[in-house]
Amino acid sequence: TDLKSFYVSAVYLTKNSSLRFNVINGKEKTYQAWNGIPESYLTTNRTYNSAGTEKPGSPYDNETDNYTQTHYQLFFNTKINNTLNYSLAAFLTRGKGYYEQYKTEQNLADYSLPDMIDGTDTISTTDLVRQLWLDNYFYGTIFSMNKKTDKSTFTVGGGAYKYDGKHYGLIQGADKGIPADHKYYNLTAFKTDANVFAKVLHQFKSNFSYFIDLQLRNVKYDLNGFRNNPSILTDKVYTFFNPKLGLTYNKNNYQVYFSYSVGSKEPNRDDFEAVKTQIPQPEKLHDFETGFEKKGAKVSYGITGYYMYYHNQLVLTGKINDVGAYTRTNTPQSYRLGLELQSKLTINKWLATEGNITFSQNKIKSFTEYIDDYDNGGQITNDYKNTAISFSPSIISSGIVTITPFKNADINLISKYVSRQYLDNTSKKERSLDAYFTEDVRLNYKLITRPFKELNFGLQVINLFNKKYEPNGYTFSYLYGGSLATENYYFPMAGTNFMLLMNVKL
């Protein structure tokens, strides 16, 4: 990967106001490695990369992702009096880039081209290099006003945002006579998002406080086709009401709290690549949380319980819609039920430790799996009850031991454990990621010396014991030759690696 970035900020200050302008730019060129590796390669060839190997002979050497993004941000904050202030922000994010691929035996008709005649031969396929482009603008404004009294804080605000996106494809070169920079699709996608909210935080009696947060959100999609299905047009409007409320009790560094919130989420753009009978529904989440926390100078600890109930959660099932694309499907009922424990202990001036662990159940109450049937055509189905939600480990834990051997220096020993995760929603062990436990070490030293205000040096050794593990992957199954075949692909993590850091404060 090759990354370049810069950041520039200017601010104008008065006694009660500030005006800030930021410009943030980043450019990346990254060689593609998003195909994963087959399961059979995990023990023999963990660094295998299939990107570019469609090209005969040596792999295509420019199978890359290229993208540039620039953020322009303007912030204005002002204090009207001791109890009232407001803020206003405007932004524009400009993004443009593409990924490049070498493709073999491509049908000319798929690229809006007629067959070619070469003497008496009719040519309908060719090898080619193509670029798939994104060209987008994201812009909008955010505002809020705050009023504080002795026991209350009132906030009202909102925002309006617009996404203007172009999706198009170019052919950069081909074995047969295709004109350079031939644009074979050119599509647009627009999304408008606006919201207003009001919230209050109020302390009553001596130890109790509550908050209420009410949001009204409107989302509009205007999608004019997809690369493989340009005739699919979508014009949808959603209106969501998202309330939140909570109650807290504080006394002598102890805190007990309860909260309830509703969150609504529109489908993603790709979810609409379907016919009208399969248009996805928005997701809704009901989240209940309660907890207890104790904070002290040397000992802190807490426990949190949560229940998250989903209505119409969108999950991959393997189902293919009428236009031949795999699509996420709404599942009526699913939930996450969990308990989080955390603690922090300062033993003495040179030794401290902190850690957390989460136990959870993450279930889909009813799930139908769709599998391609290459023997008879179409798809077959399997029904499941109370299966695990994919990529949702039941145990997650991390811990840090901090050693301070002398002034301005510390050593962090970092451990992390993640239990088994399933690649799909069937809870089948043969379609899963093994549990893994990793350890890192981080060394930090601060030097105060002229002409600098401060120099900070760091060394981090990641995956200290060279653990071979895979935190991500994907799976698909099909019926062929009278038997079920399952293909698992994984993304292996690097072995032991390190990073050196230096931070200079002037």
Side-chain angles (χ1 to χ4, degrees):
T1 185
D2 183 9
L3 308 175
K4 299 179 178 69
S5 65
F6 69 82
Y7 166 64
V8 178
S9 181
V11 61
Y12 176 74
L13 299 171
T14 67
K15 181 179 179 181
N16 294 318
S17 300
S18 68
L19 180 66
R20 179 181 294 274
F21 180 66
N22 298 331
V23 179
I24 307 167
N25 174 273
K27 182 179 181 180
E28 60 89 13
K29 179 176 183 176
T30 305
Y31 282 83
Q32 295 173 18
W34 54 43
N35 294 333
I37 67 170
E39 186 172 12
S40 59
Y41 284 25
L42 285 177
T43 57
T44 59
N45 193 3
R46 293 175 65 83
T47 60
Y48 173 74
N49 184 8
S50 64
T53 57
E54 280 197 42
K55 179 178 178 291
S58 59
Y60 182 62
D61 63 2
N62 197 38
E63 194 103 349
T64 58
D65 182 81
N66 305 264
Y67 197 74
T68 301
Q69 190 173 80
T70 306
H71 299 258
Y72 304 93
Q73 303 169 339
L74 184 66
F75 300 97
F76 177 69
N77 298 280
T78 188
K79 179 181 176 182
I80 299 174
N81 53 45
N82 290 334
T83 64
L84 188 63
N85 64 80
Y86 70 88
S87 61
L88 179 67
F91 68 91
L92 166 65
T93 302
R94 174 74 172 108
K96 188 173 183 178
Y98 65 91
Y99 66 87
E100 185 167 306
Q101 295 176 307
Y102 189 102
K103 304 296 289 183
T104 59
E105 293 295 315
Q106 299 293 291
N107 293 320
L108 293 174
D110 293 337
Y111 294 85
S112 303
L113 292 167
D115 291 348
M116 293 183 290
I117 305 299
D118 183 10
T120 60
D121 295 331
T122 298
I123 300 172
S124 58
T125 64
T126 184
D127 294 355
L128 54 83
V129 175
R130 70 184 188 187
Q131 294 178 348
L132 279 65
W133 280 81
L134 288 175
D135 185 351
N136 47 64
Y137 295 85
F138 179 52
Y139 50 93
T141 183
I142 305 168
F143 64 93
S144 67
M145 178 173 286
N146 300 275
K147 182 175 177 59
K148 292 185 177 181
T149 65
D150 291 341
K151 294 186 176 181
S152 301
T153 300
F154 302 91
T155 305
V156 294
Y161 328 108
K162 180 73 179 294
Y163 174 86
D164 297 347
K166 294 180 181 178
H167 304 254
Y168 59 90
L170 300 177
I171 296 179
Q172 290 298 295
D175 287 351
K176 307 299 188 296
I178 297 177
D181 290 331
H182 168 67
K183 185 178 287 187
Y184 63 96
Y185 72 93
N186 188 16
L187 307 167
T188 58
F190 304 97
K191 182 179 180 181
T192 304
D193 189 335
N195 74 88
V196 292
F197 69 87
K199 58 183 178 181
V200 58
L201 174 63
H202 177 67
Q203 181 178 349
F204 64 100
K205 296 186 178 181
S206 57
N207 305 108
F208 287 91
S209 63
Y210 69 83
F211 77 87
I212 299 175
D213 185 344
L214 307 176
Q215 184 201 52
L216 187 66
R217 179 168 175 253
N218 181 268
V219 179
K220 184 179 186 302
Y221 274 117
D222 185 6
L223 309 177
N224 297 308
F226 299 83
R227 173 167 61 95
N228 294 324
N229 300 290
S231 63
I232 297 177
L233 307 178
T234 301
D235 186 1
K236 294 288 291 183
V237 177
Y238 302 97
T239 300
F240 302 123
F241 175 60
N242 297 317
K244 302 176 184 178
L245 56 91
L247 180 66
T248 302
Y249 174 79
N250 285 285
K251 188 174 182 180
N252 298 332
N253 296 323
Y254 290 91
Q255 182 183 87
V256 182
Y257 59 90
F258 169 80
S259 69
Y260 166 70
S261 62
V262 176
S264 304
K265 173 71 169 61
E266 68 280 4
N268 296 333
R269 173 180 177 267
D270 292 346
D271 295 323
F272 289 99
E273 197 170 359
V275 297
K276 290 184 178 181
T277 57
Q278 295 172 311
I279 289 178
Q281 299 300 310
E283 302 170 290
K284 178 169 283 190
L285 167 66
H286 298 266
D287 181 24
F288 302 85
E289 296 192 20
T290 186
F292 168 83
E293 190 173 359
K294 165 67 167 64
K295 292 184 178 180
K298 290 190 174 183
V299 179
S300 299
Y301 53 89
I303 181 171
T304 300
Y306 64 86
Y307 175 68
M308 305 168 70
Y309 170 75
Y310 297 87
H311 177 61
N312 280 337
Q313 184 181 17
L314 284 161
V315 299
L316 284 168
T317 64
K319 187 177 183 180
I320 294 178
N321 58 38
D322 287 8
V323 292
Y326 288 99
T327 183
R328 296 197 304 172
T329 302
N330 293 109
T331 183
Q333 298 180 40
S334 55
Y335 70 90
R336 301 181 187 273
L337 176 66
L339 190 67
E340 301 173 349
L341 307 173
Q342 60 184 18
S343 66
K344 185 175 182 180
L345 173 63
T346 301
I347 300 172
N348 51 44
K349 64 180 182 180
W350 60 269
L351 182 62
T353 182
E354 60 184 284
N356 61 76
I357 188 169
T358 300
F359 303 94
S360 64
Q361 279 194 345
N362 312 280
K363 298 292 187 179
I364 296 176
K365 292 187 176 182
S366 178
F367 171 73
T368 300
E369 174 194 28
Y370 292 82
I371 297 175
D372 294 334
D373 185 349
Y374 292 147
D375 291 337
N376 304 300
Q379 294 186 296
I380 60 175
T381 61
N382 294 312
D383 293 323
Y384 298 86
K385 299 291 185 182
N386 294 317
T387 57
I389 300 174
S390 61
F391 302 101
S392 300
S394 58
I395 302 175
I396 301 174
S397 180
S398 66
I400 301 176
V401 176
T402 300
I403 303 170
T404 306
F406 50 85
K407 186 178 179 181
N408 296 332
D410 60 69
I411 304 169
N412 301 126
L413 307 175
I414 306 166
S415 302
K416 181 180 180 181
Y417 172 78
V418 178
S419 67
R420 183 176 302 279
Q421 302 174 71
Y422 294 96
L423 296 172
D424 62 12
N425 300 296
T426 63
S427 292
K428 292 185 176 181
K429 187 177 180 180
E430 61 270 23
R431 306 180 195 175
S432 67
L433 301 167
D434 288 337
Y436 60 90
F437 177 78
T438 62
E439 292 181 291
D440 305 341
V441 62
R442 185 170 59 218
L443 311 177
N444 303 290
Y445 179 67
K446 180 172 67 175
L447 179 64
I448 300 175
T449 182
R450 294 181 179 181
F452 307 110
K453 183 178 180 181
E454 189 177 292
L455 286 174
N456 289 280
F457 301 93
L459 167 64
Q460 183 166 357
V461 182
I462 304 164
N463 196 359
L464 181 63
F465 297 109
N466 200 34
K467 174 72 175 179
K468 291 180 172 60
Y469 70 102
E470 304 81 41
N472 205 348
Y474 59 94
T475 184
F476 59 91
S477 300
Y478 53 89
L479 192 67
Y480 181 73
S483 61
L484 179 68
T486 296
E487 304 278 357
N488 295 329
Y489 284 78
Y490 296 90
F491 297 94
M493 290 300 289
T496 303
N497 60 99
F498 68 92
M499 180 165 54
L500 290 169
L501 309 168
M502 182 176 71
N503 183 277
V504 180
K505 293 185 178 181
L506 300 176

